[in-house]
């Protein structure tokens, strides 16, 4: 999950693609009674700019499994979302920083997983909740 920026510059490659699977840390799923099922697929591209900042565009693709937030039946929901982030070599509260040589994507990917999660998951789109009349 690293981009070797210094090496890419030495090879005169200022753009590139990447793809990997990421096992998110325990507790990354914020939805009660749910978990991220399996690895998160990450694919994207990068561009190194003249000022050594690096633009990274990537997509996270994963499945959340657990209990429906309305009726507690089993539920699965696929999440696929795209992110654009910027890595810079100076402290900047609005962007990610790196040392000018290597970018570690771990924090950006973990943040993307957290930001991409819905507030709840449903067993079906029109789930009406627990049926209190069903005996």
């Amino acid at each position: 999950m690293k981009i070797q920026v210094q090496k890419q510059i030495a090879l005169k490659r200022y753009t590139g693609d990447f793809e990997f699977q990421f096992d998110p840390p325990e507790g990354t799923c914020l939805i009660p009674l749910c978990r991220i099922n399996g690895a998160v697929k990450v694919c994207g591209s990068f561009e190194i700019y003249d000022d050594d900042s690096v633009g990274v565009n990537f997509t996270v693709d994963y499945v959340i499994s657990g209990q429906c937030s309305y009726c507690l039946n089993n539920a699965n929901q696929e999440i696929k979302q795209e992110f654009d982030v910027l890595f810079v070599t100076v402290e900047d509260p609005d962007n990610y920083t790196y040392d000018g040589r290597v970018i570690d994507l771990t924090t950006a990917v973990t943040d993307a997983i957290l930001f991409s999660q819905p507030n709840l998951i449903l067993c079906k789109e029109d789930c009406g909740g627990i049926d209190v009349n069903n005996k």
Side-chain angles (χ1 to χ4, degrees), residues 58-131:
F58 64 94
T59 301
V60 292
D61 186 357
Y62 61 97
V63 175
I64 294 179
S65 297
Q67 292 182 315
C68 174
S69 298
Y70 288 174
C71 71
L72 304 180
N73 286 329
N74 290 332
N76 291 303
Q77 183 171 345
E78 182 178 1
I79 309 295
K80 188 172 188 176
Q81 191 165 343
E82 185 176 331
F83 291 88
D84 284 309
V85 298
L86 184 66
F87 285 84
V88 295
T89 56
V90 295
E91 281 298 315
D92 180 352
D94 296 327
N95 296 297
Y96 294 94
T97 57
Y98 81 107
D99 63 6
R101 297 183 320 247
V102 178
I103 291 176
D104 185 347
L105 293 170
T106 303
T107 301
V109 170
T110 302
D111 288 350
I113 294 167
L114 293 172
F115 290 132
S116 65
Q117 290 178 41
N119 294 326
L120 50 87
I121 68 168
L122 301 176
C123 59
K124 56 187 177 189
E125 196 172 310
D126 61 344
C127 179
I130 296 173
D131 184 3

Side-chain angles (χ1 to χ4, degrees), residues 2-9 46 48 101-103:
K2 295 184 179 186
I3 299 172
Q4 304 287 336
V5 176
Q6 197 171 37
K7 179 180 178 181
Q8 297 299 320
I9 292 171
F46 66 88
I48 303 168
R101 297 183 320 247
V102 178
I103 291 176

Side-chain angles (χ1 to χ4, degrees), residues 13-32:
R13 290 187 206 147
Y14 302 103
T15 62
D17 298 319
F18 58 87
E19 188 171 330
F20 58 88
Q21 293 200 12
F22 174 67
D23 292 320
E26 188 69 32
T28 304
C29 186
L30 302 175
I31 304 169

